[in-house]
Amino acid sequence: MKQDHQQLLKPELINSVSGLALIARVVVDGFLAGNHQSRKVGQGLEFSQYKAYQPGDDMRLLDWKMLARSGRYYIKQAEIDTQVAIKFVVDSSASMQYAESGLSKMDYARVLIASLAYLSYQQGDAVGLFALNDRALKSLYPTSNKQHYNRLLNELIRTTSTGSWPKNKRDIQKIHNRSHKELIFLVTDMYEYDDELSGWIQQLKTSKNEVVVIQLMGKNEMEFEYSGAMVFEDLETGHRVKIEANHAKAEYLNSLKEHLEGIKEAMTTSGIGYELFRFDIPLHEVLRLFLKKRLRLH
């Protein structure tokens, strides 16, 4: 029976290496199998060289060029594609503690990165992890082997949300390599006081890399379905504000719309991929975006 990854999104699973690995496999296998089943085989396909992807197949043999041409997932009976360095950067500031339905943004970041790292590792790419706030930079540089993937999962679990995003941009040099092809995938809520985060992201982009920003937001953050007197607390400063939710909703939604449009414009103008991801919806759209960006480095 096919397993639904949404049913596995529980803190006790997300915060164990075996549980996080299980969720990642279910997410990726379901995504790839679903994309194959939703399309018919096109003309000109040489069956002696390709076979349709099935869950459990060696994903290092997925043919990226065939995916780019046809949008279908096939296993190529040939050499493994050229390795690319995939660097996952997670915002580990305190605002990522924000939770809805018992799961925090950091929980969703763990699941998302674990799934993308699993897909990358199976494809033969080197994967690395960087977790950043104003108190520390956690670095796990890209390598491609099973032990390293398990180490990445362990580091994801050990990453805690604290402090704020650093104003100092010195850590950029520690994260990317300007002389090699790499895909940098940043998972964040884009919470900043000025432009310390957006400015930092824009400096990551080079002519040799692809940079993608996934902004995580909750359903309540985006729809503001509150009523009556409410007290909102800034998770990074502890500052509290009391408001009347019914009166504040229109102003909040207008400000949010303007804010999100500004972020998207800043990212796209700099050649950076950007997606707003509400974490009460399935992960497959992010995996699809990831594959497209990975293909551009082929």
Side-chain angles (χ1 to χ4, degrees):
M1 182 177 178
K2 186 178 178 181
Q3 202 164 16
D4 182 358
H5 77 266
Q6 295 286 73
Q7 298 174 1
L8 299 174
L9 297 185
K10 301 175 182 178
E12 60 269 25
L13 284 176
I14 294 172
N15 289 290
S16 72
V17 170
S18 59
L20 197 54
L22 170 64
I23 296 170
R25 288 197 303 272
V26 171
V27 169
V28 173
D29 284 347
F31 168 68
L32 293 176
N35 272 272
H36 164 64
Q37 291 167 2
S38 66
R39 294 180 173 89
K40 296 180 179 179
V41 176
Q43 295 181 343
L45 181 65
E46 298 180 24
F47 290 95
S48 61
Q49 295 181 4
Y50 297 93
K51 79 179 187 70
Y53 168 82
Q54 295 294 331
D57 284 340
D58 187 347
M59 283 184 286
R60 291 176 299 172
L61 298 177
L62 275 176
D63 187 70
W64 297 106
K65 291 182 179 179
M66 178 61 73
L67 173 60
R69 291 198 303 269
S70 68
R72 293 184 288 269
Y73 297 87
Y74 290 101
I75 299 297
K76 184 178 181 181
Q77 310 301 317
E79 295 180 358
I80 296 173
D81 288 317
T82 303
Q83 187 184 77
V84 170
I86 313 290
K87 296 180 178 178
F88 299 102
V89 183
V90 60
D91 177 354
S92 58
S93 63
S95 61
M96 295 288 283
Q97 295 175 19
Y98 175 82
E100 290 185 7
S101 302
L103 293 176
S104 69
K105 289 179 179 177
M106 182 56 74
D107 289 328
Y108 278 88
R110 291 186 181 107
V111 171
L112 177 56
I113 292 172
S115 301
L116 294 174
Y118 177 68
L119 176 58
S120 303
Y121 153 68
Q122 293 284 9
Q123 182 63 31
D125 290 327
V127 294
L129 175 69
F130 301 84
L132 188 60
N133 57 46
D134 64 349
R135 302 180 184 180
L137 167 66
K138 180 179 293 186
S139 303
L140 186 65
Y141 287 90
T143 302
S144 180
N145 59 61
K146 185 174 182 179
Q147 292 75 18
H148 183 78
Y149 172 67
N150 289 335
R151 192 177 304 121
L152 182 145
L153 296 182
N154 188 57
E155 289 298 324
L156 271 175
I157 292 168
R158 293 171 56 192
T159 297
T160 57
S161 306
T162 186
S164 59
W165 189 265
K167 293 182 174 61
N168 193 314
K169 297 182 176 65
R170 66 181 181 277
D171 289 323
I172 291 177
Q173 301 305 323
K174 300 176 183 178
I175 289 179
H176 72 45
N177 185 332
R178 294 181 178 274
S179 62
H180 291 86
K181 293 190 301 182
E182 60 183 20
L183 172 56
I184 300 176
F185 225 80
L186 171 64
V187 182
T188 175
D189 60 0
M190 289 302 299
Y191 184 90
E192 57 185 350
Y193 297 100
D194 190 10
D195 65 347
E196 67 274 9
L197 176 51
S198 53
W200 185 90
I201 295 169
Q202 288 169 299
Q203 291 191 33
L204 284 175
K205 188 72 180 79
T206 73
S207 60
K208 291 182 176 293
N209 68 14
E210 289 290 330
V211 179
V212 180
V213 176
I214 298 298
Q215 181 178 0
L216 293 180
M217 291 192 71
K219 179 178 183 291
N220 289 337
E221 281 186 298
M222 296 191 67
E223 298 182 1
F224 204 79
E225 295 296 333
Y226 302 106
S227 61
M230 303 285 297
V231 176
F232 290 89
E233 180 180 354
D234 186 319
L235 292 172
E236 297 188 0
T237 66
H239 179 65
R240 294 186 176 190
V241 176
K242 185 176 181 179
I243 66 167
E244 177 58 45
N246 296 332
H247 298 156
K249 181 173 182 177
E251 182 179 354
Y252 171 85
L253 292 177
N254 287 334
S255 296
L256 177 62
K257 180 181 178 181
E258 182 179 338
H259 174 66
L260 294 178
E261 288 175 350
I263 291 173
K264 184 173 183 178
E265 181 179 1
M267 295 300 108
T268 54
T269 299
S270 300
I272 295 169
Y274 168 82
E275 287 291 328
L276 175 62
F277 177 63
R278 205 172 83 174
F279 59 71
D280 64 331
I281 62 175
L283 297 167
H284 291 174
E285 288 304 313
V286 182
L287 270 71
R288 188 170 291 109
L289 172 67
F290 174 81
L291 286 174
K292 289 180 181 178
K293 293 297 180 179
R294 167 61 176 80
L295 281 167
R296 294 184 63 168
L297 290 171
H298 191 272

